[in-house]
Amino acid sequence: MFSQRDINNAVLDCEKQLAKTRMRLKKVQGLKLTSPTSNEEDSVVLRKKVRLKGFDDESNIGLSLGSGGGGTKKGRRSSLSNEVHEKIKDRIIRTFNLDAGRGLVMMRENGFGRTPEQTARFLLNTGGLNREMIGRALGMGRESLRLYAEGVEMEGLPFFICLRRFLGKFKLPGEAQQVDRVLEAFARAFCKVNPEAFAGGYSVVHGIAFAVVILNTDIHSQNLNKSKHIRMTKDQFIDNTRHMEGCSELSKEFLESIYDDISANEIVHQENKDDLHGNLFSDSVKEGWMKKKAPGIAVTSWRRRWFILTKNPPQLTYFEDEKTNDPKGYIPLVDVGIVKSTKHKKGLELFPENGGTLKSAKYLRGELVVGEHQIAELKAESVEESWSW
């Protein structure tokens, strides 16, 4: 049997070792190479910093990592790498959805977008990305835009199906020059896999696509005053399109079919309802303000936080506010029940369904601290909201 003194000494030794480890990490994180004259040297520093966050091999950064052997030291490292990889990816998604430019920078810094190929793949395949921000990002880079367009499946498909599929993945940027670049990229990608579709080549496809976007806006835009605005007629659309480069020989029947299709069905970008790729925040069930009580503290210690409820994983994540990128903490909801509070009309209580304690985690002075409590107390903004949660 160990005495209480032995246990206290062991705890003290662990704390000393932990403090030393933290000091060494801070020294390595502060490492600067002499004579930083190239981007290659800067990337060396970056890779060292990223590896400290949990990647067991720098070649794994930005890739899906294997789980490895769960019972081995290597397997545990790989599991940690997967967890860190997903947390970094989640933060990139949230940052990108607030500001496309900042999100692209974060992608490059963390290995998700160091090349145009990586950027295009991330924008095309990552669930949870805001469609408007994808459009802005595509307007910023020519090569990543080209690769993005080529990544959309179009081979052997009719022109109009391809255009709808392409434009359904994002919202076109606001500047006319950027819109023109995006549609040119679509035209080149379409003609690359369907070279016989139009005799005039990509310039014809580009012209038709531009005419379709103008028509779609003219007929369906909510910003136009419908009482004063006279929408484009079928004859006007045909005449306008035939005046575009290479489009003079397009048949009347073909252009009429496009006009009828657009009139009946607006081209809209798809929302994130189908983004079920395991990305945090991409399939949020509910978002909103609630107050969280610090466990074991007085009633006055309620803190107002922005909560996001997700089903994959089942979790409550809370932030300082709705625009903050970094979460304040998490409450996993596996085997967790919820009841209305008997103390407050707007209150909710989370509790472990199988007994024991309720797991949670929060960031305290930059470190993730795991907590265990009997219950977690929350307050919604109203009684109706509490029932909604």
Side-chain angles (χ1 to χ4, degrees), residues 70-338:
T72 66
K73 185 175 180 181
K74 181 178 179 181
R76 289 194 295 271
R77 282 203 308 271
S78 181
S79 177
L80 175 62
S81 298
N82 271 317
E83 181 179 353
V84 174
H85 175 274
E86 289 305 315
K87 293 298 182 186
I88 293 175
K89 187 177 180 181
D90 294 337
R91 189 179 176 209
I92 292 172
I93 292 172
R94 189 167 174 82
T95 300
F96 181 89
N97 289 348
L98 293 172
D99 186 320
R102 287 175 56 208
L104 290 173
V105 170
M106 186 175 289
M107 285 164 55
R108 286 194 296 270
E109 290 177 346
N110 289 278
F112 289 85
R114 289 181 180 165
T115 66
E117 290 83 356
Q118 286 181 332
T119 301
R121 189 163 57 245
F122 190 90
L123 295 178
L124 190 60
N125 300 325
T126 302
L129 294 181
N130 181 279
R131 299 301 199 251
E132 181 177 354
M133 294 301 166
I134 294 176
R136 292 186 186 182
L138 292 176
M140 296 178 186
R142 291 181 179 274
E143 186 63 13
S144 57
L145 170 59
R146 178 185 69 81
L147 293 166
Y148 180 96
E150 291 179 359
V152 178
E153 179 59 40
M154 293 190 248
E155 186 172 3
L157 297 175
F159 161 80
F160 209 55
I161 291 178
C162 295
L163 182 61
R164 280 192 176 274
R165 176 175 292 183
F166 179 72
L167 295 179
K169 294 182 175 297
F170 59 91
K171 182 178 179 180
L172 282 168
E175 296 183 17
Q177 188 177 12
Q178 290 182 336
V179 172
D180 187 62
R181 278 208 303 269
V182 170
L183 295 179
E184 181 182 349
F186 161 78
R188 291 185 181 278
F190 176 84
C191 291
K192 184 175 182 179
V193 294
N194 299 289
E196 306 298 326
F198 292 92
Y202 98 90
S203 61
V204 176
V205 179
H206 183 204
I208 302 172
F210 203 89
V212 167
V213 169
I214 294 173
L215 177 65
N216 190 69
T217 303
D218 185 84
I219 293 178
H220 298 289
S221 176
Q222 300 298 319
N223 298 325
L224 297 176
N225 190 327
K226 293 186 178 181
S227 63
K228 297 180 180 180
H229 175 72
I230 301 175
R231 76 175 192 174
M232 190 185 306
T233 66
K234 187 178 293 187
D235 288 338
Q236 287 173 330
F237 171 70
I238 293 172
D239 187 61
N240 292 340
T241 305
R242 283 179 169 173
H243 277 85
M244 293 190 173
E245 182 182 353
C247 298
S248 59
E249 300 302 321
L250 292 173
S251 71
K252 182 179 180 180
E253 292 75 14
F254 173 70
L255 295 177
E256 284 180 336
S257 67
I258 290 179
Y259 184 93
D260 292 338
D261 192 284
I262 290 292
S263 297
N265 302 290
E266 179 185 5
I267 295 179
V268 294
H269 59 277
Q270 302 162 354
E271 299 300 332
N272 293 341
K273 295 176 183 177
D274 60 345
D275 289 334
L276 301 176
H277 304 294
N279 298 296
L280 196 58
F281 316 127
S282 65
D283 60 339
S284 62
V285 178
K286 184 174 176 60
E287 301 184 20
W289 290 103
M290 283 198 290
K291 290 181 179 179
K292 179 180 180 294
K293 183 186 175 185
I297 308 298
V299 177
T300 56
S301 65
W302 293 91
R303 296 288 183 267
R304 192 167 183 256
R305 302 290 185 233
W306 180 262
F307 281 81
I308 296 180
L309 173 64
T310 53
K311 61 181 178 182
N312 185 22
Q315 179 173 288
L316 263 179
T317 307
Y318 55 97
F319 299 79
E320 187 77 32
D321 55 53
E322 71 270 33
K323 295 183 179 180
T324 303
N325 297 325
D326 297 318
K328 298 285 289 185
Y330 311 88
I331 304 176
L333 299 178
V334 177
D335 297 326
V336 172
I338 182 170

